[in-house]
């Protein structure tokens, strides 16, 4: 159970997360408003009176300061305004729905990353300098050096093109989702593409810290008192080897968020990342700001979660 | 070892070895690097890449801008070594010029990153106190932002020139270098030779440039080597999304994106730049690994 102190700490951190999100979106807001032109100016058929009405509707006729005040008061109520391109569509519900899709794929990628990375890392550490170790190490360098869009493209080629041709169109991966949420089969391949580069980083890290831990005296003690290798590794070694792995969970989350921008576009997943690129290309700046706000919130919450994980794994760490 | 226990850093072992073998750090590192076959192959690949990039500035088999120099979506053949793309442009020629773009981005960003990161790191590590507090806070804030997406917004704000992309990537990726130099400076400033320099009245800027920086050069070079592929990856990412260098400049990321819709009929359009990109990144990463082991053999993992 959480102690009183932990609850206070949690509260403080949540306030900080909210503050960061507002700060980040403010910076993007101010930056984006320096850009010349807006989504309406490319619309040549628009007549001046209608344009005036639209500008008024989106408060674009106000001074930057007044616009900013409206923006901040909106964001504090959870209202991110309306889309500039699909006029009248409120952004918050739209992004919330897309965020759940991204979360679904991102969580699958994260589980895959940590699972595969740790298994590879542990095997490489136990069988140090064997062919398994070299294979795991080589795999991790390859994974680290392949841009995720390359991995994604190769996977599309294999599962959507070659598998289709080979099976005569019976089994294949279909790009693009029909409904909002994907099936397990639809999620697995994007999640693999998204997680693979990071799995190799986790593997490298796990291997290094496992090697470090396995040399410790208490491991020898555990073995000396007759515990089986499996119990020594899982209960004694792995738990301590996990600490450095937890450290990179924060950067990992950021990596998966940025990676999802590419992956969602390649696989046609209707998530935040796809929306982000589309809204930049169509100059729907309200959505750009909104997506950034969501990302800032997600990163803040992920970092918070990581800090709590620390204390769960390493009882020496306190708030 | 002459130093007190607890202050010993891995670098001191390098110094120790050197004292026995009477070779310079660099000659020693080069000897070790030569024994690393992966790093040698990587160096060779990268040298080849540099040659290709230079040659492409003067000569390419076909003019890269011209469309319909061959049929569209043509697979690799003797006439077009790597085939043609959706506009009938020669992929081999475009790949050559793409090497220029990647190398410019990779090396260009690392020059800015080195200049910024070394300065900031030296100052924070040497003077400590409130200056270090401010710098460390800024570094931590930058670590908390999604770097690629901020770079993306910056490119949007600044425009899509190559120089602006280099700037945008450097601004979001300078922290690793700053943190490394800060840590090195932190350790080095406590060493006797720095203390001796300080005691003899050497000015801080001279201590930093003559005593601390040269001793931190090894890890800095390793860090910069690892930074290059990251920057190349960033540029490819931006170009793949259609937000990188202005077309028709051939960037490997953009070339891969161009062919994506035709994956079914002409996979080579995507695969060629994708393989080039992966090979380059891998070569830089292996070279970085090799350099780290060569310059700092104690750290070998």
């Amino acid at each position: 159970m959480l102690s009183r102190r932990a609850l206070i700490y949690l509260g403080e951190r949540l306030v900080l997360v909210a503050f960061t999100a507002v700060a980040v979106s403010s910076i993007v807001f101010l930056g984006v408003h320096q850009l010349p032109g807006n989504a309406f100016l490319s619309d040549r058929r628009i007549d001046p009176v209608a344009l005036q009405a639209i500008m008024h509707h989106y408060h674009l006729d106000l001074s930057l300061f007044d616009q900013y005040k409206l923006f901040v008061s909106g964001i504090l109520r959870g209202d991110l305004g309306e889309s500039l391109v699909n006029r009248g569509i409120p952004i918050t519900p739209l992004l919330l729905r897309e965020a759940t899709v991204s979360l679904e794929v991102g969580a699958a990628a994260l589980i895959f990353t940590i699972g595969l990375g740790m298994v590879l890392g542990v095997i490489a550490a136990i069988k140090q300098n064997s062919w398994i170790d070299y294979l795991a190490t080589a795999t991790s360098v390859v994974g680290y050096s392949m841009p995720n869009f390359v991995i994604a493209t190769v996977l599309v080629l294999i599962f959507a093109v070659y598998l289709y041709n080979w099976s005569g169109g019976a089994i294949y991966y279909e790009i693009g989702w029909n409904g909002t949420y994907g099936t397990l089969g639809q999620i697995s391949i994007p999640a693999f593409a998204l997680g693979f580069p990071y799995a190799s980083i986790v593997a490298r890290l796990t291997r290094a810290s496992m090697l470090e831990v396995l040399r410790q005296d208490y491991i020898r003690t555990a073995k000396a008192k007759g515990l089986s290798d499996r119990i020594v590794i899982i209960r004694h070694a792995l738990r301590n080897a996990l600490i450095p792995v937890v450290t990179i969970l924060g950067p990992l989350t950021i990596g998966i968020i940025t990676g999802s921008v590419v992956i969602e576009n390649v696989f046609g997943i209707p998530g935040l990342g796809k929306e982000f690129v589309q809204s930049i290309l169509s100059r729907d700046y309200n959505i750009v700001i909104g997506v950034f706000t969501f990302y800032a919130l997600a990163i803040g919450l992920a970092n918070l979660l990581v800090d709590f994980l620390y204390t769960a794994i390493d009882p020496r760490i306190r708030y | 070892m002459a130093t007190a226990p607890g202050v010993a850093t891995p670098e001191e072992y390098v110094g120790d070895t050197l004292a026995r073998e009477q070779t310079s750090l660099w000659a020693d590192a080069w000897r070790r690097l030569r024994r690393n076959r992966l790093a040698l192959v990587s160096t060779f690949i990268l040298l080849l890449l540099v040659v290709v990039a230079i040659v492409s500035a003067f000569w390419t088999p076909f003019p890269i801008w011209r469309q319909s120099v061959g049929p569209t979506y043509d697979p690799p053949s003797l006439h077009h070594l790597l085939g043609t793309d959706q506009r009938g442009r020669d992929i081999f020629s475009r790949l050559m010029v793409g090497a220029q773009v990647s190398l410019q981005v990779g090396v260009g960003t690392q020059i800015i990153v080195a200049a910024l990161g070394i300065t900031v790191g030296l100052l924070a590590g040497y003077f400590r106190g409130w200056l270090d507090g401010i710098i460390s806070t800024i570094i931590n804030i930058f670590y908390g932002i999604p770097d690629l997406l901020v770079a993306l917004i910056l490119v949007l704000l600044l425009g899509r020139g190559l120089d602006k992309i280099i700037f945008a990537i450097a601004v979001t990726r300078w922290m690793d270098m700053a943190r490394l130099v800060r840590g090195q400076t932190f350790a080095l400033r406590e060493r006797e030779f720095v203390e001796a320099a300080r005691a003899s009245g050497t000015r801080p800027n001279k201590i930093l440039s003559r005593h601390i920086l040269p001793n931190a050069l090894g890890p800095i070079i390793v860090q910069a080597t690892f930074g290059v592929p990251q920057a190349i990856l960033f540029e490819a990412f931006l170009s793949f999304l259609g937000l990188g260098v202005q077309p028709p400049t051939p960037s490997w990321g953009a070339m891969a994106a161009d062919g994506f819709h035709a994956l079914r009929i002409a996979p080579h359009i995507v695969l060629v730049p994708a393989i080039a990109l992966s090979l380059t990144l891998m070569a830089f990463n292996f070279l970085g690994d090799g350099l780290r082991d060569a310059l700092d053999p104690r750290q070998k993992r």
Side-chain angles (χ1 to χ4, degrees):
Chain A
M1 228 10 244
L2 288 173
S3 66
R4 196 181 123 86
R5 218 171 126 183
L7 277 176
I8 292 173
Y9 177 76
L10 182 67
E12 280 173 7
R13 286 290 302 264
L14 283 175
V15 171
L16 196 67
V17 168
F19 179 77
T20 317
V22 173
V24 166
S25 49
S26 297
I27 292 168
V28 178
F29 177 90
L30 294 174
V32 157
H33 278 78
Q34 305 306 314
L35 286 170
N38 58 49
F40 313 127
L41 290 180
S42 53
D43 210 348
R44 284 200 209 106
R45 283 167 299 173
I46 204 160
D47 86 288
V49 183
L51 180 66
Q52 200 53 47
I54 291 171
M55 295 285 272
H56 181 71
H57 178 74
Y58 284 100
H59 309 300
L60 290 171
D61 52 350
L62 297 176
S63 71
L64 186 60
F65 184 67
D66 286 335
Q67 284 188 50
Y68 181 65
K69 273 199 298 195
L70 281 171
F71 167 73
V72 172
S73 72
I75 208 173
L76 291 178
R77 282 178 281 115
D79 177 11
L80 289 162
E82 287 177 10
S83 163
L84 295 174
V85 174
N86 300 312
R87 280 165 217 161
I89 302 282
I91 293 175
T92 311
L94 175 80
L95 293 189
L96 268 178
R97 194 187 68 225
E98 288 170 344
T100 49
V101 175
S102 291
L103 189 69
E104 188 187 31
V105 179
L110 199 64
I111 292 168
F112 167 76
T113 302
I114 296 170
L116 181 78
M118 275 185 16
V119 168
L120 271 182
V122 169
I123 292 175
I126 298 172
K127 311 253 180 209
Q128 198 191 352
N129 295 331
S130 68
W131 64 271
I132 297 181
D133 182 21
Y134 291 131
L135 189 69
T137 311
T139 313
S140 69
V141 178
V142 172
Y144 189 66
S145 302
M146 283 230 279
N148 52 15
F149 65 80
V150 171
I151 298 174
T153 307
V154 172
L155 289 175
V156 168
L157 201 58
I158 293 172
F159 288 98
V161 179
Y162 293 149
L163 196 62
Y164 182 92
N165 293 342
W166 175 75
S167 69
I171 349 161
Y172 65 100
Y173 184 82
E174 198 179 352
I175 293 175
W177 292 6
N178 296 323
T180 305
Y181 299 105
T183 61
L184 201 62
Q186 280 176 319
I187 292 171
S188 59
I189 290 174
F192 179 87
L194 193 51
F196 190 64
Y198 301 103
S200 39
I201 298 175
V202 171
R204 266 179 123 161
L205 215 66
T206 309
R207 176 178 179 271
S209 72
M210 268 301 267
L211 285 176
E212 191 77 31
V213 170
L214 284 175
R215 262 185 250 128
Q216 302 287 323
D217 285 340
Y218 66 85
I219 296 295
R220 198 181 308 148
T221 311
K223 278 186 182 159
K225 72 180 182 189
L227 291 182
S228 71
D229 277 356
R230 180 181 303 192
I231 290 193
V232 171
I233 285 160
I234 292 175
R235 204 177 293 166
H236 295 249
L238 194 55
R239 184 165 174 159
N240 284 297
L242 269 181
I243 295 169
V245 177
V246 173
T247 323
I248 67 150
L249 276 180
L252 192 73
T253 315
I254 295 180
I256 284 184
I257 286 177
T258 50
S260 72
V261 173
V262 164
I263 297 299
E264 287 181 7
N265 277 287
V266 170
F267 288 96
I269 298 167
L272 273 186
K274 191 158 185 256
E275 186 70 62
F276 184 62
V277 174
Q278 272 176 357
S279 59
I280 284 181
L281 291 175
S282 65
R283 300 203 288 179
D284 198 337
Y285 296 138
N286 280 1
I287 292 188
V288 175
I289 301 166
V291 174
F292 245 91
T293 314
F294 265 77
Y295 282 154
L297 277 176
I299 291 167
L301 291 177
N303 281 329
L304 183 60
L305 195 67
V306 168
D307 283 354
F308 273 90
L309 267 182
Y310 267 134
T311 55
I313 287 177
D314 188 349
R316 288 170 301 183
I317 298 175
R318 307 218 169 249
Y319 309 114
Chain B
M1 298 287 290
T3 39
V7 209
T9 58
E11 285 75 39
E12 297 194 30
Y13 279 84
V14 179
D16 202 33
T17 327
L18 290 180
R20 268 190 273 112
E21 294 184 0
Q22 293 292 321
T23 48
S24 79
L25 169 71
W26 306 107
D28 200 46
W30 170 235
R31 194 173 51 77
R32 267 194 294 265
L33 190 65
R34 262 185 326 200
R35 269 185 290 174
N36 186 333
R37 217 172 296 156
L38 264 179
L40 268 193
V41 172
S42 303
T43 314
F44 179 74
I45 292 177
L46 294 177
L47 283 178
L48 194 71
L49 195 72
V50 173
V51 171
V52 166
I54 294 172
V55 168
S56 73
F58 303 102
W59 175 84
T60 50
F62 291 89
I64 53 160
W65 322 107
R66 189 168 306 155
Q67 306 188 356
S68 312
V69 295
T72 52
Y73 302 114
D74 208 21
S77 63
L78 273 181
H79 193 54
H80 295 283
L81 280 179
L82 297 172
T84 59
D85 68 4
Q86 78 283 7
R87 292 201 173 93
R89 294 174 295 192
D90 182 53
I91 292 181
F92 186 65
S93 307
R94 289 174 62 75
L95 195 74
M96 285 173 70
V97 180
Q100 253 182 63
V101 174
S102 283
L103 285 178
Q104 278 175 25
V105 169
V107 176
T109 47
Q110 286 315 298
I111 291 172
I112 303 180
V113 164
L116 186 66
I118 291 174
T119 315
V120 167
L122 283 176
L123 291 176
Y126 190 75
F127 293 107
R128 303 198 285 201
W130 59 269
L131 188 64
D132 182 35
I134 293 174
I135 289 173
S136 298
T137 312
I138 294 174
I139 288 178
N140 282 332
I141 291 175
F142 268 84
Y143 268 118
I145 59 170
D147 40 17
L148 270 167
L149 304 183
V150 173
L152 216 153
I153 292 283
L154 277 176
V155 171
L156 193 70
L157 290 174
L158 299 170
R160 292 171 61 179
L162 196 57
D163 51 338
K164 283 144 192 162
I165 289 174
I166 289 175
F167 174 79
I169 298 173
V171 163
T172 46
R173 288 286 357 148
W174 57 279
M175 307 85 70
D176 287 336
M177 183 64 88
R179 199 168 60 166
L180 172 95
V181 176
R182 174 180 170 272
Q184 292 283 324
T185 313
F186 236 89
L188 286 169
R189 82 187 290 276
E190 306 300 331
R191 300 272 293 274
E192 283 88 350
F193 63 89
V194 175
E195 213 172 305
R198 230 187 337 250
S200 60
T202 316
R203 290 177 180 282
N205 57 6
K206 204 172 168 192
I207 293 182
L208 287 175
S209 61
R210 293 280 172 80
H211 297 275
I212 291 184
L213 186 57
N215 280 292
L217 218 48
I220 289 175
I221 290 173
V222 174
Q223 176 62 44
T225 312
F226 282 124
V228 171
Q230 275 183 354
I232 293 177
L233 194 63
F234 263 50
E235 189 277 326
F237 173 96
L238 294 176
S239 295
F240 186 78
L241 292 177
L243 299 157
V245 286
Q246 195 75 44
T249 306
S251 145
W252 290 347
M255 288 169 71
D258 277 347
F260 191 73
H261 68 278
L263 203 56
R264 197 179 293 270
I265 55 165
H268 69 278
I269 303 178
V270 181
L271 289 180
V272 166
I275 292 169
L277 196 55
S278 304
L279 263 183
T280 307
L281 298 178
M282 224 177 288
F284 270 113
N285 281 329
F286 278 127
L287 180 64
D289 276 344
L291 280 176
R292 188 186 54 208
D293 295 345
L295 287 167
D296 196 354
R298 281 269 306 165
Q299 239 186 17
K300 189 160 186 168
R301 271 175 276 184

